[in-house]
Amino acid sequence: MSGEYRADTDRSVLALIREYGRPYLHLAGLGLLLRLIWLVPGRAGPVVLGYLVDGVFGEQPLSVPLVPATVIPETQLGQLWLAAGVIFGLAALGHLFQLARTLAWGAFAYNLQHDIRTATYDTVQRLEMGFFDDHQSGEVMSILNNDVNEMEGFFTGTIDEAMDVVSFVVGAAVFMLLLNWQFALVALAAAPLIVVANYYFAGRIERVYGEVRETVGLLNAQLRTSISGIGVVKAYTAEPHERERVRSTSRDVMDAQRQAVDVRAKHYPSMRVLTGLGVVLTFSLGGYWVTAGPPGPFTEPMTAGTLVTFLLYVRHIGWPMQQIASVVDGYKSAAASADRILGVQNAAERVTERADATDLKRVDGRVTYDGVTFGYPESDRDDAAEGPVVEGVSFEVEPGETVGIVGPTGAGKSTLLKLLVRFYDVDRGAVRVDESDVRDLTLDSLREAVGYISQEPFLFDGTVRENVTYGADVDDGTMWTALERAEADAFVEELPEGVDTTVGERGVKLSGGQRQRLCLARAMVHDPAILVLDEATSHVDNETEALIQRSVASVVADRTTLVVAHRLSTVRDADRIVVIDDGRVAERGTHDDLLDRDGLYADLWRVQVGEVQALPDEFVARIEARADALDTDD
């Protein structure tokens, strides 16, 4: 996955906790407090066992910490049962503490995960359309699902594991130092080596986990694209081609994961070797210490029970020391995910709402393009789109007027409509609704006033009712009125379950014309003062186009309408037609006026009605040059 999804911070996990964890810090604090309270008592079992060895099986009188000597039985069997009871009591109490802290910490972690996911999704919704033009949805989905879930695993698993490591090491170290501080220094000698080894592997783990996250995101995007286009795949018998593409991307994931396995395969055994050396050193030197007395410069005496306690601690310390590898592993994986989450959250919002933006309240419907110049940002375009897409465009649409916008492919027609609804902002000039620059208006009020219908009619995987009333709280009467105005009521009534019929993902159970008329009905439910149709008939047959044109004629009757069309028949009856060529206004007028002028519009009309032989050589040369340029870009 591209580096744009990486946050520019070295503490991405901490940044997420600071941003979203504040409301739940009391839960995290409770979990940590319970952990601290049980820090020392929870590790007292080996100490009790050591006293048991010396007092029950040795020659010293039995004494148990925090247990009065008066309650210690005189018989050996009684002392054995007392020691066993103390160990069992500590274990049972420890389980209760663990249950309480797990519940508290789990509540913190799951609330934090929920807020991160919803905030990231909200950020994605607010990004301008250019972001989605340039990035595969599968990549974004991978971040919203895989990476956010990885953070949940880190908070509920890795952090808890890290606290286990700290509590065990600290608790064991405290008891070892109290029992025999000189021997404790020897027994803990391997700890610094383990820390150094973990630091060495940490850098390698971070790199390979970043690669794993990136390749998984690319694979998700590839799978989503292949499944979405399954009809095309089958129609062109391209299954082997798609299988190879998925195989290639999956192989990249496998290679990245294999690198991660390779690092772990070297990491964990290294930890085991170092902890094993600690056990051997403790047993060898401790055995000599017990049998022959303190060696060399050491002076503290030691009993067999103390040696047993030390061996248990060192052996058990080996586990948390080995878990350091897992903790580092989990942290680096979470850091890679946090980088990607923050990368999306920090993606630039080029279209932002000004602090002093005002609501568009009473809308007359006048739309003005005043010297509009716009070029797509460098990150959102290819080489063919360098420079302004539209330049110096000026025209006005009166309230209630229908204006068609036509021109050759790539002339900038759809771009003009996207500037009206602020999918992008102009570089120079202004787009106004009534007398207000759209940049001075709140986005919600602007987009409520402008109904936008794109050339790709999109329906959600739900019922007809849910799609038509999407984003509006209306009754059935309003819904059916909208369906009637869009001339969709007849075919909806014939569906198996009427308005409660499911349409399938993207409306695959309906024809293109049916989908487009439902989109018109959806716009009518919101009753916008201004309607924008971006090539609404570009992907349908002639009969369906006629039906949609009838629908359009019904819905535009009392509102300002801008219609971008490749098929000039769609805008033939418009009040005015604006012809765009190479980003500039080339002509304007009614259909008949433009035909009489015999300019670019007339040539486009000849192409549509099949009068190809009547086209001037200059126009044909332009078409060939444009086609060659598109082929070169592809």
Side-chain angles (χ1 to χ4, degrees):
M1 185 174 291
S2 54
E4 67 220 72
Y5 284 113
R6 294 299 183 86
D8 185 19
T9 177
D10 294 329
R11 298 181 178 86
S12 52
V13 175
L14 183 60
L16 287 176
I17 295 176
R18 280 201 306 265
E19 180 69 21
Y20 302 104
R22 295 180 187 276
Y24 315 111
L25 287 180
H26 63 286
L27 295 171
L30 177 59
L32 182 60
L33 177 63
L34 292 171
R35 172 83 65 176
L36 291 175
I37 293 174
W38 195 244
L39 183 65
V40 174
R43 306 306 171 196
V47 175
V48 175
L49 188 59
Y51 279 106
L52 178 65
V53 170
D54 285 336
V56 177
F57 303 108
E59 298 178 355
Q60 299 181 10
L62 175 64
S63 64
V64 180
L66 303 180
V67 176
T70 55
V71 302
I72 295 178
E74 296 181 358
T75 65
Q76 188 180 44
L77 184 60
Q79 295 173 355
L80 178 63
W81 285 116
L82 173 65
V86 172
I87 294 174
F88 177 80
L90 289 171
L93 194 58
H95 282 300
L96 292 177
F97 270 81
Q98 182 177 9
L99 174 62
R101 66 176 174 79
T102 299
L103 291 174
W105 192 264
F108 163 74
Y110 287 115
N111 278 290
L112 184 60
Q113 177 201 27
H114 168 73
D115 286 359
I116 290 173
R117 177 181 284 115
T118 53
T120 305
Y121 176 71
D122 185 57
T123 299
V124 169
Q125 286 193 118
R126 289 186 283 106
L127 293 174
E128 75 288 341
M129 290 300 297
F131 177 88
F132 300 98
D133 293 339
D134 294 333
H135 302 93
Q136 292 179 310
S137 58
E139 295 179 272
V140 181
M141 288 297 297
S142 176
I143 293 173
L144 291 173
N145 281 325
N146 297 349
D147 289 310
V148 173
N149 288 338
E150 180 67 29
M151 296 305 302
E152 180 270 326
F154 171 74
F155 291 129
T156 57
T158 304
I159 291 183
D160 194 59
E161 192 174 17
M163 290 192 294
D164 267 339
V165 170
V166 172
S167 66
F168 191 95
V169 171
V170 171
V174 167
F175 280 119
M176 291 166 72
L177 290 169
L178 290 175
L179 289 172
N180 188 323
W181 68 270
Q182 293 179 345
F183 190 49
L185 297 178
V186 176
L188 296 173
L193 296 178
I194 295 175
V195 173
V196 171
N198 276 290
Y199 181 80
Y200 166 75
F201 282 105
R204 301 182 63 189
I205 291 173
E206 182 176 19
R207 178 182 59 81
V208 297
Y209 267 107
E211 293 177 359
V212 169
R213 293 291 167 211
E214 290 179 5
T215 54
V216 167
L218 290 174
L219 178 60
N220 286 340
Q222 177 64 59
L223 292 172
R224 185 180 181 88
T225 300
S226 298
I227 297 300
S228 298
I230 192 65
V232 177
V233 173
K234 290 182 175 295
Y236 289 90
T237 63
E239 290 90 345
H241 172 70
E242 288 301 315
R243 182 171 58 250
E244 185 55 37
R245 290 179 64 190
V246 172
R247 187 195 305 275
S248 175
T249 310
S250 179
R251 188 178 295 113
D252 292 338
V253 175
M254 181 182 66
D255 290 342
Q257 291 174 331
R258 186 174 291 164
Q259 291 183 41
V261 170
D262 180 67
V263 173
R264 290 201 303 268
K266 296 174 181 176
H267 192 183
Y268 292 109
S270 299
M271 298 303 101
R272 292 190 181 96
V273 168
L274 291 174
T275 54
L277 289 175
V279 172
V280 171
L281 178 62
T282 301
F283 178 76
S284 302
L285 185 59
Y288 180 85
W289 203 311
V290 171
T291 56
F298 298 111
T299 58
E300 289 282 336
M302 187 167 60
T303 65
T306 302
L307 176 59
V308 170
T309 298
F310 268 80
L311 284 172
L312 289 173
Y313 277 135
V314 172
R315 183 173 180 275
H316 289 154
I317 280 180
W319 169 78
M321 286 298 184
Q322 292 174 32
Q323 293 304 107
I324 292 177
S326 177
V327 169
V328 172
D329 199 358
Y331 172 75
K332 293 303 181 180
S333 179
S337 293
D339 281 345
R340 284 157 50 89
I341 292 170
L342 288 174
V344 169
Q345 291 188 352
N346 296 338
E349 294 182 49
R350 301 189 187 98
V351 176
T352 57
E353 191 173 280
R354 293 176 176 174
D356 58 349
T358 59
D359 287 335
L360 183 62
K361 296 179 179 177
R362 183 180 177 277
V363 184
D364 293 329
R366 178 176 285 102
V367 175
T368 305
Y369 286 82
D370 184 6
V372 170
T373 296
F374 171 77
Y376 288 101
E378 184 176 352
S379 61
D380 295 345
R381 68 189 184 198
D382 53 28
D383 292 340
E386 290 184 359
V389 178
V390 293
E391 187 170 6
V393 172
S394 296
F395 65 89
E396 188 168 297
V397 184
E398 296 296 332
E401 188 178 26
T402 297
V403 171
I405 302 175
V406 302
T409 300
K413 307 182 297 297
S414 295
T415 297
L416 288 172
L417 301 189
K418 292 175 181 178
L419 295 173
L420 173 59
V421 291
R422 287 197 72 196
F423 287 165
Y424 300 94
D425 275 340
V426 300
D427 296 331
R428 293 191 300 276
V431 180
R432 297 188 180 90
V433 173
D434 295 340
E435 300 302 322
S436 300
D437 189 320
V438 295
R439 291 169 294 185
D440 295 330
L441 300 171
T442 59
L443 287 171
D444 285 347
S445 67
L446 171 65
R447 291 171 181 170
E448 286 174 1
V450 181
Y452 179 86
I453 301 177
S454 69
Q455 58 183 302
E456 296 289 347
F458 182 88
L459 298 178
F460 295 94
D461 185 11
T463 65
V464 171
R465 182 195 305 274
E466 291 168 342
N467 276 280
V468 173
T469 61
Y470 181 76
D473 184 13
V474 297
D475 56 28
D476 283 359
T478 302
M479 177 190 66
W480 278 109
T481 299
L483 287 169
E484 290 170 4
R485 298 191 66 181
E487 299 204 11
D489 56 317
F491 85 79
V492 169
E493 288 176 343
E494 295 177 356
L495 294 174
E497 298 180 50
V499 292
D500 294 315
T501 302
T502 57
V503 299
E505 187 176 6
R506 294 180 174 269
V508 295
K509 295 182 180 180
L510 303 177
S511 69
Q514 290 173 333
R515 292 196 297 270
Q516 194 63 279
R517 279 179 281 167
L518 287 184
C519 289
L520 282 170
R522 180 164 57 200
M524 289 304 95
V525 164
H526 290 267
D527 194 26
I530 301 168
L531 186 62
V532 171
L533 303 176
D534 188 359
E535 300 185 24
T537 63
S538 60
H539 298 309
V540 298
D541 56 42
N542 292 333
E543 293 180 354
T544 302
E545 179 190 10
L547 291 173
I548 293 177
Q549 286 180 357
R550 284 184 51 180
S551 304
V552 170
S554 172
V555 301
V556 306
D558 56 352
R559 70 191 76 243
T560 304
T561 307
L562 287 85
V563 183
V564 165
H566 270 122
R567 293 179 177 177
L568 303 188
S569 56
T570 305
V571 296
R572 179 174 182 171
D573 297 326
D575 297 311
R576 279 186 300 128
I577 299 172
V578 177
V579 184
I580 305 295
D581 187 26
D582 289 333
R584 298 176 181 271
V585 176
E587 300 171 329
R588 67 185 79 197
T590 65
H591 171 76
D592 293 334
D593 291 340
L594 293 173
L595 288 182
D596 291 341
R597 193 173 301 173
D598 198 25
L600 175 59
Y601 181 84
D603 290 334
L604 293 171
W605 180 257
R606 292 186 186 102
V607 172
Q608 178 164 313
V609 299
E611 298 177 2
V612 180
Q613 300 302 322
L615 292 172
D617 294 340
E618 180 183 354
F619 182 79
V620 174
R622 287 185 57 187
I623 295 176
E624 292 176 344
R626 190 181 298 274
D628 290 341
L630 291 174
D631 289 340
T632 301
D633 296 337
D634 292 341

